[in-house]
């Protein structure tokens, strides 16, 4: 089993839809959980990070972490065509020497 | 504040040629990283440097060398390029102590023919 699993999609939704992106993981030592957005032919950019379990909201984006289920989610409300990108989850913790473990990314397209 | 910069943006090499990819950050971060990204493979860590003067192998170090020139700069060298090294290369940096979120450069698209 890979340490981090992420459905690669692709996911296609109409503008205004609520989008749910998810990752599961196997390493219970992970403490920090991050979401990156990567536009085509660009570098990944950090969207949000959370520590341990709980929710974090930033505008239209909400990150959720459920450590008991080893499951993290990113919700996008009122999705816009500009949200079309690949979304990668990443995790850190447990003496990894500052290394992040990335999911492979989910390709999202928001259609106008 | 430019963040993480990489040069060059694009490069075409012939098999056996060598080249160095340059990376610099202006965020005063201690840790720096080199990744390659290939379709269906995600981001794979090549080398990282937890602090100035130290480097460690990542998941796919074969065929690469790195130098942490100072706190700002971290270079990646391909001594004898192979077609399997055709990829997009990203440099990243992160602060410490945690949460160690990484900030990425714009990438270098390398083609080896």
């Amino acid at each position: 089993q890979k340490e981090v699993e992420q459905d690669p999609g692709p996911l296609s939704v109409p503008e205004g839809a609520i989008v749910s992106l998810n990752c599961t993981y196997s390493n219970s030592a992970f403490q920090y959980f991050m979401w990156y957005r990567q536009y085509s032919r660009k570098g990944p950019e950090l969207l949000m990070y959370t520590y341990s379990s709980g929710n974090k909201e930033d505008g239209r984006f909400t990150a959720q972490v459920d450590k008991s289920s080893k499951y993290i989610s990113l919700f996008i409300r009122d999705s816009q065509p500009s949200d079309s990108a690949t979304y990668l989850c990443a995790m850190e913790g447990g003496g990894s020497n500052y290394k992040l473990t990335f999911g492979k990314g989910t390709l999202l397209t928001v259609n106008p | 504040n430019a963040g993480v910069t990489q040069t060059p943006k694009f490069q075409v090499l012939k098999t056996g040629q060598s080249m160095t990819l340059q990376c610099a950050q202006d965020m005063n971060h201690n840790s720096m990283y080199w990744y390659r990204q290939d379709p269906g493979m995600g981001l794979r860590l090549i080398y990282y440097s937890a602090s100035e003067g130290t480097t460690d192998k990542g998941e796919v170090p074969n065929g690469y060398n790195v130098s942490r020139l100072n706190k700002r700069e971290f270079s990646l060298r391909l001594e004898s390029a192979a077609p399997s090294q055709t990829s997009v290369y990203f440099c990243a940096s992160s602060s410490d102590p945690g949460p160690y979120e990484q900030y990425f450069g714009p990438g270098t698209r390398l083609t080896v023919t």
Side-chain angles (χ1 to χ4, degrees), chain B residues 17-78:
Chain B
Q17 287 185 320
S18 62
M19 77 161 296
T20 299
L21 281 64
Q22 306 286 356
C23 174
Q25 53 92 8
D26 62 3
M27 295 174 282
N28 200 37
H29 286 166
N30 285 328
S31 301
M32 298 185 73
Y33 311 81
W34 276 105
Y35 293 89
R36 59 179 290 174
Q37 188 175 41
D38 303 288
M41 302 294 289
L43 282 163
R44 291 185 290 170
L45 183 65
I46 304 171
Y47 271 93
Y48 70 103
S49 170
S51 63
E52 186 178 351
T54 68
T55 61
D56 286 284
K57 294 178 181 179
E59 184 183 351
V60 289
N62 290 345
Y64 305 95
N65 285 302
V66 290
S67 295
R68 184 73 182 269
L69 304 169
N70 47 56
K71 191 171 184 179
R72 289 187 63 248
E73 298 172 291
F74 189 37
S75 62
L76 178 72
R77 182 160 179 84
L78 287 70

Side-chain angles (χ1 to χ4, degrees), chain A residues 32 34 36 38 40-46 49-51 86 88 92-93 96-105, chain B residues 10 31 33 35 37 40-43 45 48 50 57-58 90 94 96 98-107 109:
Chain A
Y32 293 101
M34 299 159 202
Y36 285 82
Q38 185 175 22
S40 180
R41 304 178 78 84
K42 301 288 187 184
E45 58 175 330
L46 180 68
Y49 73 84
T50 54
Y51 174 70
T86 296
L88 301 99
E92 193 278 341
S96 63
N97 294 330
Y98 321 130
K99 291 186 289 184
L100 295 182
T101 302
F102 285 88
K104 291 189 177 179
Chain B
F10 302 93
S31 301
Y33 311 81
Y35 293 89
Q37 188 175 41
M41 302 294 289
L43 282 163
L45 183 65
Y48 70 103
K57 294 178 181 179
F90 290 104
S94 72
D96 65 85
Y100 311 118
E101 70 271 26
Q102 294 181 13
Y103 296 87
F104 285 80
R109 291 186 172 273

Side-chain angles (χ1 to χ4, degrees), chain A residues 2-109:
Chain A
K2 294 192 192 316
E3 272 197 301
V4 178
E5 299 272 8
Q6 184 174 10
D7 186 340
L11 184 60
S12 182
V13 301
E15 183 175 353
I18 295 174
V19 176
S20 172
L21 303 165
N22 312 294
C23 289
T24 58
Y25 63 95
S26 58
N27 187 345
S28 58
F30 286 139
Q31 296 278 19
Y32 293 101
F33 303 90
M34 299 159 202
W35 285 96
Y36 285 82
R37 177 175 62 195
Q38 185 175 22
Y39 290 116
S40 180
R41 304 178 78 84
K42 301 288 187 184
E45 58 175 330
L46 180 68
L47 265 181
M48 303 175 69
Y49 73 84
T50 54
Y51 174 70
S52 195
S53 284
N55 292 1
K56 187 172 184 179
E57 189 173 316
D58 184 0
R60 296 184 295 110
F61 298 88
T62 299
Q64 285 187 352
V65 175
D66 181 350
K67 290 193 74 178
S68 63
S69 301
K70 297 189 178 68
Y71 189 87
I72 71 170
S73 301
L74 178 71
F75 296 96
I76 307 174
R77 291 183 299 281
D78 187 24
S79 55
Q80 303 295 310
S82 58
D83 296 327
S84 298
T86 296
Y87 290 80
L88 301 99
C89 61
M91 307 176 190
E92 193 278 341
S96 63
N97 294 330
Y98 321 130
K99 291 186 289 184
L100 295 182
T101 302
F102 285 88
K104 291 189 177 179
T106 299
L107 177 61
L108 170 68
T109 301

